[in-house]
Structures are given as structure tokens and as C-alpha cells.
């Protein structure tokens, strides 16, 4: 509904062009950055939507808003084309919705970047016989090559790295584990289409030892002597793998300290996990530090 | 063009329903995972596209393909609705294109996850007087609160963490730096809509000292005694910040070893960066290790 003289003027314009049609403004929620978020919940006809969107954007412009977001459930796919024709661009998409955005201010756009990275984990798990838990996969680039590799998997949106590592190992091999630390991580680019990839090598401690492999993704799983794992031509040939094997060997033979997670509260009051070298942090004399990092 | 009897049958069906229209199959490129990627380059009418898509998907199904991807440039927004009506779902979007996908096999979907994380950096930079480089921002949640914080920024798709840190510091403050190491990282969730966030605390060594701040994003920038930075009520109050200050203080006062990047080649032949504790890795006797990690 109209809330200012200028919008009334727009509405009148729409009416005169459009016979008797009444232009309803869209409902928007303000964000913290001078933007408006429209979340359309009910089906609308494209034409009515176009008029409402156009009038609403004009009003928000006059109010000094900087950006307008539209979240369209996939059932409202008929509104994608009208939104783009009104100057909106895609921001991100998930299977069931598309988010569009329009920077309506004259100032430089500060539209936040879309998610740019997929996050994966590889799990280094050793039993008391110094055997490492390894798998062969049914799909992907290692398919049919006889390569034994650490269990790996994708960290879901909203999932902690440590939880993802435990979950993937359980899913692929049936082994229960507890998280120890991140030994290293790798950043690579163009992993899937244009997206980048962050891959965390995690050490986990096994709590059970009997393997029950998952059949869809995993061709075979076993406990393998670490030296046999590291001696595979595949590992030797690619230094991204041989270096990780070196890190793991250092962890087994001498001393290697990775980053372990401590729960911390951010400025927004959310719980997050800070991964750091806990051993080194304990070097700090207690009178200096404000926090405790129990071993 | 038709390549099998079954497709000819489809084509005939289309013709009979459609008068004289010839159904051209869409061009698709195979991926490594039993999928087909369609990259439409020229404008098409929705109706012709629907017929072609339907016939093409049927053919690929018969060929045992598992997934069909459609990449639609934003100029081809008229083809989004027909794709969805043919059973496609959104996979991801960037400002100028939308990627849709349809799992056409009876087996369990192995469609790869969309990028789930934004990646950010915070830069810890100290000069010889033990002053830390800090900024106040014009926007965001710290706006107008007088909080001095490390320069921060977003790592772009395809950009190395270390390069992003150097770039952001240069953009915001004009200071040239070289990358030292990742001191810690933090994972948090629902940072922007449903996306998660990985934030890397990076230590950089300053190469220049004269500050020229960027005006749009940065309200103020200065070198500030480290103890003053750490004593800010804001830092003290939120343990996500006080813990990072502890890590930085440990780095300054005793010994703290983070993860430093080494370039490594992956199995696909791509260069990536592996971040690890180089000090600890040097504990490994040389006869065991296959790689060298010069200090």
C-alpha cells in the first residue's frame, strides 16, 4: 500500500497507463546495510509483479535505500524474467530458490560476494598397529585406478568442519571417531565450474575398528600399513599428496601440532569455532591471556 | 540432429504434434561424472527450447547419462521457466548466469554441492614499534561504534588467501606487505543468508608504513599500540576477538607457529597451496620425507 506522496504519484501513473489496475507495493524487510529484502511467498502474475516491483523500487530509491534483494522460490519461476527485465541480476541460487539483487544507489556497489568456495575434508585415522584407514571410490577421478586414499567428503553449508569429518568417516566406513585437529589445509581453484575449494586434512582418533563400508560411493575400505599407503606411486607422484603424507608421518614419528577448534562467541553473539595452535598458545603467560585453552 | 532410432521416434512425435517443426537436439559436452553440460550461446524461443530439451534429455537418459546441466546466461532468462518446467532445479548462480541441473538417473543423486562458504581474511600487521595496523569501517556491523579492527576483506573466487590478504591491506590502507602465515581460522554459520563463513587470521610483514586510506569503505586507519588494540572493550567482550588477540600476542612475545603456504601440484595437474606447520615438518628426518620445505 502507498506510504508517501511520491508513491501515490507512481500509483496514479500506473493506473492511468493500465486502466483500473491498482499497484500494490511489495513488502520488504530492511537489512543492516541499507538494503531491502523481498521474500515473495504467494504466486503472482508476471504483469502485476512487474508493476509492483517497479513502483516499489522507485519508492526505495527515493528513501535512499541502496540495494533490493528478491528471493524467489522455484515455484515462482515465472517472476525471474520480469525481475531481470527490471534490472535485477542473479546473486546466488540453491536447488529450491533463486536470489536476485539490484543495486539502486549511485554509490559504488557493496553487494556481498556470493559463496565462492566448496569445503572438503580428508580424514587421517590411524589405529594402534600404525595402520591408516583408506578407501577406494566408485566414482570421480580416482575411479578404477586402484588408488587407496583417505576418506574424504564435502562440508555442508552450516556444518562444522570437525562434525563433517566425523560424519563422512562414519558414512563411508562405519568407523566412529573423535576429532583431534586440522593438520593442514589446501586451497585450489576451478574445482567445480569456477568455484574454489578448501580442503582440510583432519586427524581423527578411531573409537571403533570394524569396517562396514557404504556401497554406493565406496568400492573398498581397509586398514592399511601407513608405509604402504605412502609408498603408492600415486602418492609419490603428486606432491600435494606426498606432502600430506609427510605431515602425517611427522605427526606419527616426532611432533607436529596442527590447529584444534575452540568454541568462541562472535560479535553477533553466534557460536563459531576458532582453530588455532593450542600448544603454542599455552606458551603465553596466564597474566597476559584473557582466555583459557585447556589441553 | 537425431543420432538413434529412438530419437527419430521422438522427433516424429514432435513433428506430428507440432505441424512442421523440426526438433533439433541440444549440444552437450560430457563431464567426468556421467553428466552432460549444455551451454546455450544463442537466443532461442521458449517453445523450441522446450521441445529440444525434452528430446535431448530423453536421448541422454537412454544413453545412461546421469545428470544434465544447463548454463543460461542472464540474457537467456526466458529459458529459465521452461527448464524448470522440464524438471530442472537451480544449482548455483553468478551475477550473469544461472546453472540448472536435472538428475535423470534412477540411482542416488551425486550432484556436487554448491559452494557453501564465503572466505574472508583479517590481517595482523605489526611495525617495529609494536604498533598494529587498524581501521574503522564506514559500513557494516561496526559502523559508528569507534571500534578499531584489523583490515579485513573477502577472498574472491579463484584468488589465493595470501594474495587476497595482501590485496585487501593495500586497498584499504595503501600499505605494501608480504605474507607470513595463517595464525588461526574461524568457521561460522549463517553469515549471509544461509551461507557459512571461513575467516583466516593472517600475519603479514609490512614493507611500507605510510597510510593512504581508501575513502569509500574506510573511515579511519592508523598504527596503534598493540596493547591499546587488545584493551578495547569490544575486543575484551567477545572471546572470538580476545582469543585472536591472544594468538597475536603469543606470536609477538614467545613462539607461535601457524600454517604457511607451499605450492603443490594436485592429481589434476593444477597448482594449489598447501598450508601447514613448516617448523614441525622440519622435525621429520630427511630420509623419510619426500619433499623439502625451505624455511
Amino acid at each position: 500500500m502507498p506510504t508517501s506522496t511520491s508513491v501515490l504519484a507512481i500509483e496514479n501513473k500506473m493506473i492511468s497507463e493500465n486502466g483500473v489496475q491498482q499497484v500494490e507495493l511489495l513488502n520488504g524487510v530492511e537489512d543492516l546495510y541499507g538494503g531491502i529484502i523481498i521474500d515473495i511467498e504467494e504466486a503472482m502474475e508476471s504483469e502485476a509483479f512487474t508493476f509492483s516491483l517497479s513502483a516499489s523500487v522507485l519508492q526505495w530509491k527515493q528513501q535512499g535505500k541502496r540495494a533490493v534483494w528478491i528471493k524467489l522460490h522455484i515455484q515462482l519461476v515465472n517472476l525471474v524474467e520480469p525481475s531481470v527485465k527490471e534490472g535485477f541480476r542473479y546473486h546466488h541460487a540453491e536447488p529450491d530458490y533463486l536470489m536476485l539483487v539490484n543495486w539502486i544507489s549511485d554509490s559504488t556497489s557493496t553487494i556481498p560476494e556470493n559463496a565462492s568456495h566448496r569445503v572438503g575434508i580428508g580424514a587421517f585415522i590411524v589405529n594402534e598397529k600404525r595402520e591408516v584407514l583408506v578407501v577406494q571410490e566408485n566414482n570421480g577421478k580416482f575411479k578404477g585406478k586402484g588408488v587407496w586414499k583417505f576418506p574424504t567428503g564435502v562440508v555442508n553449508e552450516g556444518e562444522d568442519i570437525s562434525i563433517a569429518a566425523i560424519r563422512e568417516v562414519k558414512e563411508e566406513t562405519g568407523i566412529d571417531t573423535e576429532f583431534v585437529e586440522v593438520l593442514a589445509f589446501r586451497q585450489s581453484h576451478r574445482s567445480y565450474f569456477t568455484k574454489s575449494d578448501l580442503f582440510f586434512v583432519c586427524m581423527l582418533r578411531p573409537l571403533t575398528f570394524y569396517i562396514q563400508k557404504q556401497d554406493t560411493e565406496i568400492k573398498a575400505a581397509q586398514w592399511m600399513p601407513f608405509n604402504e599407503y605412502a609408498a603408492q606411486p600415486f602418492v609419490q607422484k603428486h606432491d600435494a599428496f606426498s606432502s600430506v603424507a609427510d605431515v602425517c608421518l611427522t605427526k606419527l614419528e616426532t611432533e607436529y601440532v596442527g590447529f584444534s577448534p575452540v568454541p568462541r562467541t562472535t560479535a553477533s553473539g553466534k557460536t563459531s569455532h576458532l582453530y588455532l595452535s593450542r600448544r603454542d598458545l599455552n606458551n603465553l603467560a596466564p597474566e597476559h591471556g584473557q582466555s583459557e585453552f585447556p589441553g
Side-chain angles (χ1 to χ4, degrees), chain A:
Chain A
M1 60 217 84
T3 56
S4 76
T5 320
S6 57
V7 174
L8 279 168
I10 299 159
E11 188 180 343
N12 289 335
K13 182 162 166 284
M14 297 298 177
I15 289 167
S16 67
E17 280 176 8
N18 210 18
V20 294
Q21 181 162 5
Q22 178 84 1
V23 177
E24 256 192 77
L25 295 185
L26 299 169
N27 286 323
V29 175
E30 298 193 18
D31 69 17
L32 286 173
Y33 304 86
I36 293 284
I37 305 169
I38 305 170
D39 190 348
I40 313 267
E41 286 174 356
E42 289 177 10
M44 281 184 83
E45 290 196 0
S46 305
E47 200 184 345
F49 173 75
T50 301
F51 283 126
S52 293
L53 181 60
S54 175
S56 304
V57 166
L58 192 49
Q59 188 196 39
W60 290 320
K61 229 180 231 179
Q62 287 166 345
Q63 290 173 351
K65 298 298 173 198
R66 310 199 304 161
V68 180
W69 299 85
I70 305 178
K71 184 178 179 180
L72 289 177
H73 191 276
I74 196 163
Q75 288 166 346
L76 305 177
V77 64
N78 65 308
L79 306 182
V80 175
E81 190 173 356
S83 301
V84 170
K85 289 191 169 158
E86 285 296 310
F88 283 73
R89 290 291 169 268
Y90 306 137
H91 186 266
H92 67 272
E94 293 298 324
D96 60 352
Y97 78 86
L98 175 62
M99 184 73 82
L100 298 107
V101 65
N102 190 2
W103 184 257
I104 59 174
S105 155
D106 291 333
S107 62
T108 309
S109 163
T110 58
I111 292 170
E113 296 289 332
N114 187 5
S116 53
H117 285 63
R118 289 196 307 160
V119 179
I121 57 87
F124 172 55
I125 303 168
V126 193
N127 66 16
E128 287 185 355
K129 290 185 274 183
R130 220 174 119 127
E131 293 166 331
V132 61
L133 183 63
V134 289
V135 299
Q136 290 187 358
E137 292 176 351
N138 279 331
N139 288 302
K141 70 176 90 141
F142 303 113
K143 179 181 177 177
K145 293 192 179 157
V147 171
W148 291 99
K149 51 189 284 293
F150 294 172
T152 55
V154 173
V155 178
N156 295 324
E157 201 173 87
E159 186 178 38
D160 288 335
I161 290 166
S162 56
I163 302 294
I166 292 168
R167 175 183 56 72
E168 284 286 352
V169 171
K170 178 71 178 176
E171 283 175 12
E172 293 192 353
T173 69
I175 301 289
D176 292 309
T177 55
E178 63 184 9
F179 191 82
V180 180
E181 61 186 15
V182 170
L183 296 179
F185 65 87
R186 192 181 72 209
Q187 188 192 27
S188 47
H189 302 303
R190 300 192 74 81
S191 305
Y192 213 87
F193 302 115
T194 60
K195 298 296 177 178
S196 297
D197 206 274
L198 274 164
F199 179 80
F200 292 87
V201 180
C202 303
M203 185 172 194
L204 288 84
R205 190 176 293 118
L207 301 174
T208 62
F209 300 90
Y210 176 68
I211 293 172
Q212 280 184 294
K213 81 173 182 71
Q214 196 259 25
D215 291 332
T216 320
E217 290 174 41
I218 303 300
K219 191 181 164 204
Q222 67 165 334
W223 292 101
M224 180 185 225
F226 181 81
N227 293 340
E228 274 183 42
Y229 165 78
Q232 293 181 99
F234 167 81
V235 174
Q236 298 273 333
K237 189 177 159 194
H238 302 289
D239 61 9
F241 287 80
S242 61
S243 294
V244 167
D246 286 350
V247 165
C248 296
L249 188 63
T250 312
K251 185 78 193 176
L252 292 178
E253 298 220 326
T254 69
E255 189 184 25
Y256 182 94
V257 179
F259 286 173
S260 44
V262 289
R264 286 295 177 260
T265 306
T266 67
S268 333
K270 282 185 300 195
T271 297
S272 62
H273 280 90
L274 187 65
Y275 290 73
L276 43 72
S277 170
R278 198 180 276 177
R279 173 195 60 184
D280 287 352
L281 205 59
N282 287 335
N283 292 337
L284 190 63
E287 65 269 22
H288 284 114
Q290 297 136 17
S291 323
E292 286 181 12
F293 298 89

